[in-house]
Amino acid sequence: MTKSGPWSDINKVLPNALSPETIESLEALKFPTMTPVQENVIPLLLNYKDVAVEAITGSGKTLAFLVPAIEFLKKYSAQSNELTVLILLPTRELAKQILDVLTPFIQFHPFIKPQLLISGCPAQEDLEKYKEIRPNIIVATPGKLHDFITLLPPTEFKRLELFIVDEADQILKNGLENHLTAIFQ
């Protein structure tokens, strides 16, 4: 994997973009430097820009969106305990992988409250868990998220700051375009 500079270089491009806690957690979790995709994408996402990324496996795309997600969660968790980040993936396996990458960050950022929404659990159980833990980040597959959002009032998404559609080409190849369209609406 190609390396770029230290994480603190993001703050040279976008002052105070990455908190010291986020930089420390990345280093502690053995991500001492950025990759080029992270260096280019993170400032854009933190500036609320729409971003489309095409990069090879292992290029660091996951952290390119999880790092901004952590910063948004940090920024808004003090204000409210509302859904702030939504990550959509084409398969349950990929959703689990993203959650696996995110989970170690919770020890450094206890404000992170994720919920995984994938097939295999009845929507009503997911809703009960949602009400219990009040997640601020959801990692989901399109079909499950589509079913789940019909159970929630639209106001649940008023604080959404970051919406990631990972592997969008695979979502479309899997014939989930209708779910994707409904979710966007």
Side-chain angles (χ1 to χ4, degrees):
M1 181 182 331
T2 306
K3 302 279 186 208
S4 266
W7 293 99
S8 59
D9 283 357
I10 295 285
N11 292 338
K12 294 175 185 173
V13 176
L14 188 62
N16 302 313
L18 296 186
S19 66
E21 297 86 4
T22 298
I23 293 170
E24 290 169 19
S25 66
L26 287 159
E27 292 170 352
L29 293 171
K30 308 289 189 239
F31 301 110
T33 59
M34 296 179 288
T35 65
V37 73
Q38 293 159 351
E39 181 178 29
N40 288 297
V41 169
I42 290 171
L44 294 171
L45 289 176
L46 289 172
N47 263 325
Y48 296 94
K49 302 293 184 193
D50 292 337
V51 179
V53 177
E54 183 177 355
I56 62 169
T57 300
S59 62
K61 291 186 302 280
T62 299
L63 283 182
F65 63 77
L66 284 182
V67 170
I70 291 168
E71 288 300 326
F72 282 122
L73 294 171
K74 182 176 181 19
K75 180 178 179 181
Y76 292 105
S77 69
Q79 296 175 6
S80 67
N81 189 26
E82 296 179 284
L83 183 59
T84 306
V85 178
L86 182 58
I87 303 172
L88 195 63
L89 299 117
T91 66
R92 61 186 295 144
E93 292 77 19
L94 283 172
K96 287 178 181 178
Q97 285 177 11
I98 296 302
L99 188 63
D100 288 345
V101 174
L102 177 64
T103 299
F105 285 95
I106 295 172
Q107 66 182 312
F108 301 96
H109 307 284
F111 54 81
I112 298 173
K113 296 181 187 171
Q115 184 172 358
L116 182 66
L117 295 175
I118 57 176
S119 61
C121 186
Q124 196 58 41
E125 285 181 33
D126 286 328
L127 182 60
E128 288 171 22
K129 183 175 180 183
Y130 179 87
K131 289 177 179 178
E132 177 188 328
I133 66 171
R134 300 299 303 168
N136 52 16
I137 181 169
I138 288 180
V139 179
T141 55
K144 187 63 171 190
L145 181 63
H146 177 255
D147 292 344
F148 185 73
I149 61 177
T150 62
L151 302 173
L152 299 174
T155 56
E156 288 295 312
F157 298 92
K158 71 179 186 264
R159 179 60 75 188
L160 195 63
E161 294 291 324
L162 184 62
F163 181 27
I164 301 295
V165 180
D166 194 16
E167 305 274 349
D169 58 330
Q170 292 301 316
I171 290 173
L172 296 174
K173 280 183 191 175
N174 291 347
L176 299 170
E177 187 173 347
N178 291 341
H179 289 301
L180 196 57
T181 301
I183 290 166
F184 279 125
Q185 291 173 345

